Amino acid sequence: MWATKNREHLIVPTIEARLYAYIVNKAAELGVYVYAIKGWYDHIHLVVSIPPKHAVAYVVKRLKGASSHDLNQAGGLDYQFAWQRGYGALSLGERQRPKAEAYVENQKKHHEQQTMNAWLERYAEFDEGPDDVGIMPGPVPLVLHEQSVVYDAWGEPPF
């Protein structure tokens, strides 16, 4: 899952089919199989199979960069299309895949009826991620502080 820049409603019906088709074709060039792709005005979800030779970050970077470039170069938009920095990803087993595909395929229905899975739709003010300022001078801190994980391992999983 990744979102549009500033969560703006940039994924309008007139570009939606082109955007999804372009991402599926670009994914195929990378050897990535797309099982499902759908979204809402400000984000998309995908269920994909990524070959082990590629890191998730590499695939996401290529799909986001190429798709925004394609939309902006194609013309016809009265705005600049851009994705936000960052993305959300989780791994699934084959048993969970059908439920994940169904969730993604029904994105519009979930958003219209407010039946979204909060765990999968979660975002916050820090979605843009930290500024890319390069390598920080000085020693590496001994302890990294991260916020607590939202997912409760003993509760209901997202799929």
Side-chain angles (χ1 to χ4, degrees):
M1 180 270 196
W2 59 80
T4 58
K5 183 78 170 172
N6 299 321
R7 286 283 179 155
E8 293 179 40
H9 287 199
L10 302 180
I11 305 172
V12 294
T14 55
I15 69 161
E16 195 173 34
R18 178 186 178 97
L19 173 64
Y20 297 161
Y22 186 87
I23 290 174
V24 169
N25 288 329
K26 181 56 75 174
E29 289 176 15
L30 299 170
V32 173
Y33 185 81
V34 178
Y35 291 99
I37 179 172
K38 288 285 190 299
W40 194 235
Y41 298 110
D42 64 351
H43 69 278
I44 63 171
H45 292 265
L46 297 94
V47 177
V48 300
S49 176
I50 299 174
K53 68 180 181 177
H54 292 312
V56 173
Y58 171 78
V59 171
V60 172
K61 178 181 177 179
R62 295 289 306 272
L63 296 180
K64 286 171 63 178
S67 62
S68 62
H69 179 77
D70 177 69
L71 287 173
N72 290 321
Q73 295 303 308
L77 295 180
D78 55 354
Y79 56 89
Q80 183 77 14
F81 188 93
W83 297 111
Q84 75 175 18
R85 289 192 313 266
Y87 60 92
L90 58 96
S91 60
L92 305 169
E94 279 299 308
R95 289 192 341 211
Q96 293 86 24
R97 188 168 53 85
K99 284 180 119 177
E101 288 179 51
Y103 183 79
V104 169
E105 290 295 335
N106 288 301
Q107 273 294 289
K108 287 191 184 342
K109 179 180 167 189
H110 289 304
H111 283 277
E112 289 167 354
Q113 297 177 359
Q114 298 292 307
T115 58
M116 294 91 62
N117 181 319
W119 196 86
L120 296 172
E121 302 288 342
R122 183 180 171 274
Y123 73 94
E125 68 280 358
F126 51 83
D127 274 353
E128 277 297 310
D131 290 334
D132 185 5
V133 294
I135 298 175
M136 294 174 42
V140 175
L142 296 176
V143 177
L144 295 176
H145 177 71
E146 296 178 355
Q147 288 189 328
S148 60
V149 176
V150 176
Y151 178 66
D152 175 9
W154 305 113
E156 283 295 312
F159 296 110

